[in-house]
Amino acid sequence: MKQPASQDFIAVTDQPPVEQPWWRGAAIYQIYPRSFADSNGDGIGDLPGITARLEHVARLGADAIWISPFFKSPMDDFGYDVADYCDVDPIFGTLADFDALVARAHELGLKVTIDQVYAHTSDQHPWFVESRQSKDNPKADWYVWADPKPDGSPPSNWQSVFGGPAWRWDARRCQYYLHNFLASQPQMNAHNPDVQQALLDVMKFWLDRGVDGFRIDALNFLMHDPALRDNPPAPEDGRRRTRPFDYQLKIYNQSHPGIVGFIERIRQLCDSYGAVFTVAEVGGDLAETEMKAFTAGETHLNSAYGFDFLYADKITPQFVKNALAKWPDEPGLGWPSWAFENHDAPRAVSRWANHETVDAFARMKALLFATLRGNIIVYQGEELGLDQVEIPFELLQDPEAIANWPLTLSRDGARTPLPWMSQDEHGGFTTATPWLPVGSGNLSRAVDRQEADPASLLNLTTRLLHLRRANPALRWGDFTVVHADDAVLAVRRKYGEQSLVGVFNMGAQPRAVPAGLTGGGNELASVNGATLEQLPAFAALLVEERI
């Protein structure tokens, strides 16, 4: 992703004094362990591979890593179906490998956050194996069980995310159990105080091993309506419906108000360990309301992120304005986290840019991302500008993609291995056949090639993340949109005595910088040839105002 060096300018600024918790305004680098680096030649990434490559993340300027699930699992949903919360799956390594990873990360100045999947387990988890044996065993009500209706049909009309009814019949108990995702992912009954304590004990296990934070998966699915009321139909919204799940308002199978009480217990435990970061993943129809409830005040989670940008098919000034407006700098309101990409969503550059403009667009996007108020979560490969890889049906691994083919989100296309070496058939990811193809287009974006090019997107992203870390207004300041039209967005970030203005041309046609926005300021960053007066296609500018 080469660009003439003269097109970009990033100022060098000093590190500010620490005034806030480490996680506030942090850049967090998401690692999908299957696809980051393979150390043992089996085609699948692992924990030693991550440890060996952590210097890449530290050089980038990230404050922390978030590692997607590496726990013992049958891998029906690639680790989000946990069979043992307190052990590492052998394909990823051992607990000793994890300890070595934490030690190396801390040595490099990186905090370590890990996924926690509390809404469901694998059906091979010992808790579920015991629960399904009878209606009166010690763990009988650790999962959501219900009798059939008189005609033998499921207890409610709830539908699963991956397609079909959210209830599976089990002959051992002559009851149905709830599964909001795969049938092999039974829903935990988190209304049960014993279940809550068991989950807190899991969190304590990892805290004792030195982790610095948790990303809690599908948190709004944690509790259900005990009355098992039917969900109402969803009104038509113009979008194509490809799953039965899309036909309902998900009111009763998730989003129970009791979740907030359990969150308070999580916060109490984490606070007892010091500066531990907690962030919730929240999706669905009520995402904004739930994210704010989950993060309100000082007794709940530190942050939450939804899917504002992750599934958007385009990005515009008004879209950014509306998303950030949900999280103003107000007392008692939670701190947002943002992701443009992750393991569940197609690559942003493939959704938001066409082939001819993708390189320039990626550079503008990188500066925009570095300018947002909140935490920013950089998905592995985003710093390289990786695009979505087309995976043929016979190579698909993702159960969602297989079940809904060809109308699928194609999560596999964003989970392809990270290319480290451009001259290697598999990008230096592995010496074997990788579990997913690297993608020929992404080989040209490999780390080694971009490290050697001063004008690469990787080096631009590195400079931008260091710039963000060094400027209090970018890291902690308030966020105000001062201009938004059909193509140009201008925002102001202000903290204490520092005030910055960012201007972004999101269109393919040159535009003038709106009058009065950048006059007399100190230019901190310019991409794609932006000046104080003009914005070429996909150009962007960051200026420090003189107050």
Side-chain angles (χ1 to χ4, degrees):
M1 300 195 57
K2 190 169 183 178
Q3 193 81 9
S6 60
Q7 293 261 315
D8 298 333
F9 167 76
I10 310 295
V12 177
T13 52
D14 295 328
Q15 179 85 12
V18 175
E19 301 180 30
Q20 299 279 358
W22 70 263
W23 53 264
R24 198 169 180 89
I28 301 170
Y29 187 92
Q30 183 194 353
I31 293 175
Y32 192 70
R34 293 183 72 90
S35 298
F36 192 69
D38 172 24
S39 72
N40 62 0
D42 64 358
I44 298 172
D46 46 46
L47 297 184
I50 295 172
T51 303
R53 294 288 192 176
L54 279 177
E55 286 188 17
H56 168 77
V57 183
R59 284 196 303 269
L60 189 65
D63 301 286
I65 57 172
W66 149 33
I67 311 174
S68 293
F70 51 84
F71 316 107
K72 189 170 289 186
S73 166
M75 299 295 162
D76 290 348
D77 192 21
F78 295 104
Y80 286 91
D81 50 322
V82 179
D84 188 341
Y85 284 111
C86 298
D87 202 0
V88 174
D89 194 276
I91 68 169
F92 297 128
T94 65
L95 279 171
D97 291 328
F98 179 78
D99 293 340
L101 188 160
V102 172
R104 179 59 176 154
H106 288 167
E107 184 179 81
L108 292 168
L110 294 167
K111 302 291 186 180
V112 178
T113 65
I114 64 173
D115 252 314
Q116 295 286 268
V117 188
Y118 292 158
H120 51 258
T121 69
S122 164
D123 60 0
Q124 296 183 31
H125 196 293
W127 296 346
F128 185 73
V129 171
E130 182 176 353
S131 183
R132 77 190 315 178
Q133 295 306 313
S134 67
K135 297 180 181 180
D136 58 1
N137 67 78
K139 291 185 173 57
D141 61 349
W142 278 42
Y143 293 81
V144 182
W145 294 93
D147 293 327
K149 291 181 177 179
D151 64 358
S153 60
S156 73
N157 71 345
W158 301 346
Q159 299 294 313
S160 70
V161 173
F162 289 159
W167 296 97
R168 171 62 65 94
W169 177 256
D170 190 276
R172 298 168 183 81
R173 292 180 50 146
C174 290
Q175 286 183 306
Y176 285 94
Y177 68 83
L178 178 65
H179 61 92
N180 281 303
F181 295 89
L182 294 174
S184 58
Q185 293 172 299
Q187 179 74 25
M188 296 212 73
N189 177 21
H191 292 288
N192 185 329
D194 292 338
V195 170
Q196 290 191 20
Q197 187 57 54
L199 295 175
L200 292 172
D201 289 344
V202 168
M203 187 169 274
K204 188 176 186 301
F205 174 87
W206 294 106
L207 287 167
D208 288 339
R209 299 196 92 89
V211 305
D212 304 289
F214 301 99
R215 179 259 193 191
I216 305 176
D217 183 71
L219 182 57
N220 54 337
F221 281 93
L222 186 65
M223 294 184 185
H224 66 293
D225 170 34
L228 306 183
R229 287 171 284 185
D230 282 348
N231 281 330
E236 289 282 356
D237 60 6
R239 291 180 293 182
R240 185 172 187 180
R241 295 171 173 178
T242 61
R243 307 166 296 176
F245 183 78
D246 301 329
Y247 285 79
Q248 295 182 356
L249 294 176
K250 277 70 71 174
I251 295 175
Y252 297 118
N253 64 315
Q254 62 183 75
S255 308
H256 191 277
I259 296 172
V260 175
F262 180 57
I263 285 172
E264 291 175 350
R265 298 188 68 188
I266 290 175
R267 180 61 183 267
Q268 289 172 0
L269 174 63
C270 289
D271 281 353
S272 71
Y273 279 79
V276 176
F277 173 58
T278 51
V279 58
E281 178 212 34
V282 182
D285 304 325
L286 303 174
E288 181 184 348
T289 299
E290 292 178 319
M291 286 191 289
K292 290 178 178 177
F294 293 172
T295 59
E298 297 300 323
T299 61
H300 299 130
L301 303 182
N302 301 120
S303 188
Y305 82 94
F307 296 85
D308 300 76
F309 294 102
L310 287 172
Y311 294 146
D313 59 3
K314 63 180 179 180
I315 188 170
T316 65
Q318 194 63 45
F319 188 91
V320 176
K321 178 180 178 180
N322 292 343
L324 273 291
K326 299 173 184 177
W327 295 93
D329 187 5
E330 296 178 355
L333 192 64
W335 182 256
S337 291
W338 305 102
F340 285 173
E341 304 182 4
N342 75 3
H343 62 289
D344 280 336
R347 291 283 186 180
V349 290
S350 298
R351 286 180 282 124
W352 295 344
N354 60 46
H355 180 73
E356 292 75 22
T357 62
V358 65
D359 289 1
F361 181 91
R363 304 175 82 79
M364 181 275 294
K365 179 181 78 73
L367 180 53
L368 174 65
F369 202 29
T371 309
L372 297 186
R373 176 184 178 270
N375 301 327
I376 57 172
I377 303 173
V378 180
Y379 179 48
Q380 65 179 48
E382 188 171 4
E383 74 278 20
L384 305 176
L386 298 191
D387 60 12
Q388 187 78 358
V389 178
E390 291 294 328
I391 308 295
F393 181 80
E394 62 272 16
L395 295 181
L396 285 175
Q397 305 289 325
D398 176 27
E400 188 279 331
I402 294 169
N404 294 305
W405 176 267
L407 301 174
T408 172
L409 290 174
S410 187
R411 300 188 302 179
D412 282 339
R415 297 176 176 182
T416 54
L418 197 68
W420 296 96
M421 300 165 56
S422 59
Q423 302 305 313
D424 183 89
E425 178 186 5
H426 302 309
F429 165 74
T430 182
T431 57
T433 300
W435 75 287
L436 282 173
V438 174
S440 57
N442 283 336
L443 276 177
S444 66
R445 301 179 172 94
V447 172
D448 66 341
R449 176 174 291 188
Q450 295 206 35
E451 282 183 337
D453 179 4
S456 69
L457 179 65
L458 171 59
N459 283 314
L460 172 65
T461 303
T462 299
R463 296 193 299 272
L464 289 173
L465 292 186
H466 284 273
L467 186 75
R468 177 182 170 91
R469 179 186 287 180
N471 284 272
L474 288 179
R475 181 119 186 190
W476 307 311
D478 58 20
F479 183 99
T480 305
V481 174
V482 294
H483 180 92
D485 59 29
D486 62 321
V488 176
L489 172 73
V491 304
R492 178 172 283 112
R493 300 296 313 276
K494 188 173 183 180
Y495 184 85
E497 297 301 315
Q498 186 180 41
S499 181
L500 309 180
V501 171
V503 189
F504 309 88
N505 181 5
M506 298 184 182
Q509 300 303 317
R511 299 289 291 265
V513 174
L517 285 182
T518 60
N522 176 34
E523 193 173 330
L524 294 185
S526 169
V527 299
N528 295 329
T531 70
L532 295 174
E533 295 81 27
Q534 292 293 322
L535 298 170
F538 304 111
L541 185 70
L542 183 66
V543 174
E544 184 172 27
E545 295 183 291
R546 292 173 181 162
I547 300 178

